[in-house]
Structure formats: C-alpha cells, structure tokens
Amino acid sequence: MRPHVELIHDDDYVWHAAELVGGEGRASERRLSVDEEDGSSSLRVDFHTDWGRGPGIHHADTEYYVLEGSMTYGGREIGKGGYVHAPKGVPTDAITFAEGTRILHYREYGDAGFDPVDNLDAPRWADVREDVIVVDTEAMTWDAVPNPGPMPGLFIKYLHVDPVTGFYTRLVYCQEGWTDHRLAHHPCYEEAYTTQGRMEYSFGTLDQGSYFFRPARVKHGHFTTMEGGMTMLLRSDGELFNWYTQNEWIRWGGEAVNYGPGGTRMRWSQSSHDLGKGSIRRSERDLADLAASVRFQREMGAQDVDYVPHGHGTDKGLVAIAKALDAAQLQGGHGHSHDHTDGHDHGHDHGHDHGVTADWGAEAGSLEHRDERTGAGAHNWGQGRPWKQGDPIPAPIISTLPVRSRSRGRWDGDGM
C-alpha cells in the first residue's frame, strides 16, 4: 500500500540514483510515492547525460511523461509533453532521453525489472491486452469535461485508459476562477503532479512541482484556481465517481495516562474544527470564490448548503453530539453519573445509559464494499475497489493527518 501524501513539493524530496535497469547514462530520481508491497512507484527523474536503452519488456505497467527536454521512442522524437505508455509484458522499442531532460515516470503493479529483447517480435507475456501508446500531448486539443463540478472551466486530455479496469491517465486544466466548494471522495486512488499554475485547496497550495497521492475514499476539495489557471497530470486506478460531503466534522480524544501536565492523568479532546483556526485559514480571495461556487450551484437548481470553513462558527462536532444526546433522551433512556476524583487533581464523569441507541445515521457496515473486511485488500481501507451504478456507496474513511510539504502543505481540518 502507499501512504497518503497530500500534499508535498518535489523540492522537499531527496535525490536517489535512478532505478532504470539496463540503460546507459546517468540519471537521478525523486520518489514521490512508492508501494513497497507491489513495487508501484511515482517518480520525478532528471537525466544528467544522454540516456538510453534498447528494446525490452517492462515488469510493470510503465509510463513516461516529458516535463522538459526531449524523448525519442522507436526513432520518433517528442519534446515537452511527450508521453509513452508501455504495458507490462509487451515488447517495447528503444527509448532515449536527451541530457537535461526532466520527466515523470510511473510504474504500476510491478518493479523496475526490464528484460532486453532482440526485436519487437519477441513473445508477449500471457494475458496481455494492451499495446504501447505514444502521444505528443502538446499537439492534442483540450476537451471540456462533461461534468466539471459546480462550475464550468475544467478541461481534459486523455492519455491512456485501460478498457477493463478503468485505470486512466489524463492531463487536466482548470481555468482561472474554476472552483468547487464541496468535498469529494472516490472508489479509486487519485494522484496528481502540477505542471503549471496554482490552485488552493484544503490540504495546501498546488503549484508547479507539487504532488499528492490520495488513497481511495479520502475526502478532499474546496478548490479555488488562481491567476493563469492550473494544469496537472492526474492518474486514477479505476473509474472515478464523485461522492460529495458537506458540513463535515470529526472529533476524537481519549484519556492521557502519563502525559498530562506535570505527568498527570487527564482527559483530552480535539476536533477538526480546531485545525481551521489561526493563520491557516483560507484567504479572502478563496472565500469569495467558494461563495461564488455555491451561488452558481443554486442558480443551476441544485441542492446545496452554505460553505463554512473549519474554525468558523460553532463546532459541528459539538452540535452533533448534543443532538445525539437529545435523541437518546427522547428514546426513553435513563442515565446517572458519578463524579469523583482519583488523586490527580481532576474529576471523571462516568455515565451509564441502558437501552439507549443514539441515531448517528446509516450504520457503517451498510456503506462498506462487500470485500472490505474479507478481501485481499482488507488490510488497507484506502485500496480502490471496483464500483458500478447500483452498488452501495461507501462512506469516506477517516484519514490520518497525511504527509505534507514543509513548504506548501496546510491543514485546515477539511478533507479528514
């Protein structure tokens, strides 16, 4: 499994010698995210000399995307925006990169292994269903996204789509002012590298060189696109459906045994509402754009509610708890509490309710994928799973505070 990385800038990563088996030349890589279980990796690679290798077979579904410089595949040279998709087990032609070239390099469902072959007539591996794709994305036209969210202004270039799994790689352009005030989660993972421009959202600033890897079902959103728009290379390991959450909240806590003030025992609690206070609040420009997104949605006749950022107004977690207590009392429960001290200068309240069930909404089990607790990915709630219309829609999972950039990351409580 890959950790939730949201977001980080590639300047914050260290360099490693590039793991490009069988090639000649010098190159370095920054490991944006890595799955140590199956070998999947997302990498930024810089070539310090001309680099190349001959025909061969990759051990992983492999992609190359040129950020700067040039790539030559099978004798065809492509500059910035050049893209190659080389499926696992398929003979691929010779590939070279010019000195100074910078690329994004992806390996999926396999390691960096590479078996040289004499020519492209070498036998394919069993069960291979795709061919090599070579695209000059600079020559492609942008297509408007059919469902761009609450506002128009989202455009796309499809680079590769797996016809069976729905795994797809695309370039996405958000024009200046494109905004989405909702939080979304998906049945698949989503990762992106910003190639141009700037966008603000709940986890920080997406600008050139910033990156995120977000497991399936992690909420994210409240996007606002800044001057000049923003372009990113975006990948998902399945068909992407948007399920929206608004007025989100979470509260957690416990009893500290040996780490209270002076080493004493104490009860503590924190809310996502608390994380939105102080200097990390959204800018006035962001708040104005988000309000405009709400207005546009309502003008289209869609159901919606006001956007209220975390740290403003009443803590929704406290409101929900109060409502649950009211519901419990209305159900005829009876409780009693005992106040006592335990010698550590504070009191404990112990309540005992009998026969009372607070109504928190849908049971969690009714929103789980059928294989969530029994399938091969049961150890990883953030693993993408196939979903089709009519299946139960899974609720978002509670994400831990993700790895985030020392220079670009922000945490405002949204998206948890």
Side-chain angles (χ1 to χ4, degrees):
M1 60 181 289
R2 295 201 226 186
H4 181 193
V5 178
E6 184 148 28
L7 57 87
I8 197 162
H9 196 277
D10 64 8
D11 286 345
D12 295 333
Y13 283 97
V14 299
W15 288 105
H16 303 267
E19 191 177 13
L20 296 169
V21 177
E24 295 187 2
R26 290 193 304 107
S28 298
E29 69 183 24
R30 282 171 163 160
R31 298 168 187 170
L32 304 176
S33 66
V34 176
D35 187 328
E36 292 291 353
E37 289 184 314
D38 68 6
S40 299
S41 303
S42 299
L43 312 165
R44 235 292 308 284
V45 179
D46 286 14
F47 295 94
H48 310 303
T49 66
D50 289 346
W51 183 94
R53 65 183 173 194
I57 294 177
H58 296 84
H59 290 193
D61 289 341
T62 302
E63 295 173 281
Y64 305 91
Y65 178 82
V66 178
L67 295 168
E68 181 181 310
S70 66
M71 164 180 63
T72 301
Y73 178 83
R76 176 187 176 186
E77 182 177 1
I78 315 175
K80 178 182 177 182
Y83 172 81
V84 169
H85 170 75
K88 175 195 299 189
V90 174
T92 58
D93 215 331
I95 190 169
T96 62
F97 295 93
E99 178 180 351
T101 296
R102 300 168 54 241
I103 70 168
L104 296 174
H105 179 42
Y106 301 99
R107 297 193 295 265
E108 207 70 39
Y109 313 128
D111 58 27
F114 182 84
D115 300 330
V117 298
D118 292 332
N119 54 62
L120 300 185
D121 294 327
R124 296 181 170 206
W125 291 5
D127 302 323
V128 169
R129 62 175 180 273
E130 293 192 273
D131 296 312
V132 174
I133 297 172
V134 184
V135 175
D136 179 1
T137 66
E138 294 287 289
M140 298 173 67
T141 58
W142 289 102
D143 294 321
V145 175
N147 182 20
M151 303 183 75
L154 205 59
F155 302 88
I156 198 166
K157 295 180 180 181
Y158 290 99
L159 309 187
H160 163 249
V161 180
D162 187 307
V164 174
T165 66
F167 194 120
Y168 68 122
T169 301
R170 66 273 196 200
L171 286 167
V172 175
Y173 173 70
C174 312
Q175 72 181 19
E176 179 180 337
W178 181 84
T179 303
D180 195 338
H181 60 282
R182 304 166 299 183
L183 293 178
H185 67 285
H186 316 298
C188 54
Y189 83 54
E190 192 175 32
E191 69 169 335
Y193 183 96
T194 304
T195 62
Q196 171 272 327
R198 175 172 158 240
M199 174 183 281
E200 297 290 343
Y201 77 131
S202 56
F203 290 106
T205 300
L206 285 166
D207 60 0
Q208 187 169 339
S210 60
Y211 168 84
F212 65 77
F213 178 89
R214 183 188 309 122
R217 295 173 57 186
V218 173
K219 295 198 304 294
H220 55 284
H222 302 331
F223 296 107
T224 56
T225 311
M226 301 293 106
E227 295 83 355
M230 191 273 283
T231 307
M232 56 184 168
L233 184 73
L234 199 149
R235 303 171 75 243
S236 298
D237 66 338
E239 188 173 356
L240 190 148
F241 297 91
N242 289 310
W243 300 314
Y244 295 111
T245 298
Q246 290 182 269
N247 284 328
E248 65 290 339
W249 59 270
I250 184 170
R251 176 167 287 278
W252 67 101
E255 292 189 4
V257 175
N258 62 346
Y259 58 94
T264 60
R265 184 179 177 192
M266 64 173 292
R267 181 180 298 161
W268 64 271
S269 178
Q270 188 173 10
S271 168
S272 55
H273 187 270
D274 302 330
L275 299 174
K277 297 177 179 177
S279 60
I280 57 176
R281 291 183 178 183
R282 303 297 288 264
S283 69
E284 292 302 318
R285 159 77 185 267
D286 280 349
L287 296 177
D289 284 351
L290 291 164
S293 177
V294 175
R295 288 195 301 272
F296 187 92
Q297 185 84 330
R298 286 175 174 167
E299 289 170 1
M300 296 295 104
Q303 286 186 325
D304 213 341
V305 296
D306 288 333
Y307 167 74
V308 180
H310 276 64
H312 296 250
T314 305
D315 186 335
K316 298 182 182 70
L318 296 178
V319 173
I321 291 170
K323 288 181 177 179
L325 291 173
D326 288 343
Q329 291 175 354
L330 290 172
Q331 290 175 38
H334 62 277
H336 55 276
S337 62
H338 307 283
D339 296 341
H340 65 85
T341 59
D342 59 6
H344 294 292
D345 247 0
H346 69 284
H348 286 282
D349 297 331
H350 297 283
H352 306 281
D353 289 319
H354 307 284
V356 174
T357 303
D359 180 9
W360 294 96
E363 291 292 330
S366 69
L367 300 173
E368 289 180 350
H369 187 280
R370 60 187 178 277
D371 298 330
E372 187 159 308
R373 293 180 184 269
T374 59
H379 65 293
N380 177 13
W381 279 24
Q383 176 176 304
R385 293 175 172 85
W387 185 89
K388 63 181 184 299
Q389 294 291 344
D391 287 348
I393 295 177
I397 58 176
I398 299 175
S399 171
T400 57
L401 298 180
V403 175
R404 65 187 191 276
S405 172
R406 67 174 67 96
S407 54
R408 269 72 166 184
R410 179 185 64 242
W411 183 262
D412 60 14
D414 297 342
M416 176 173 269

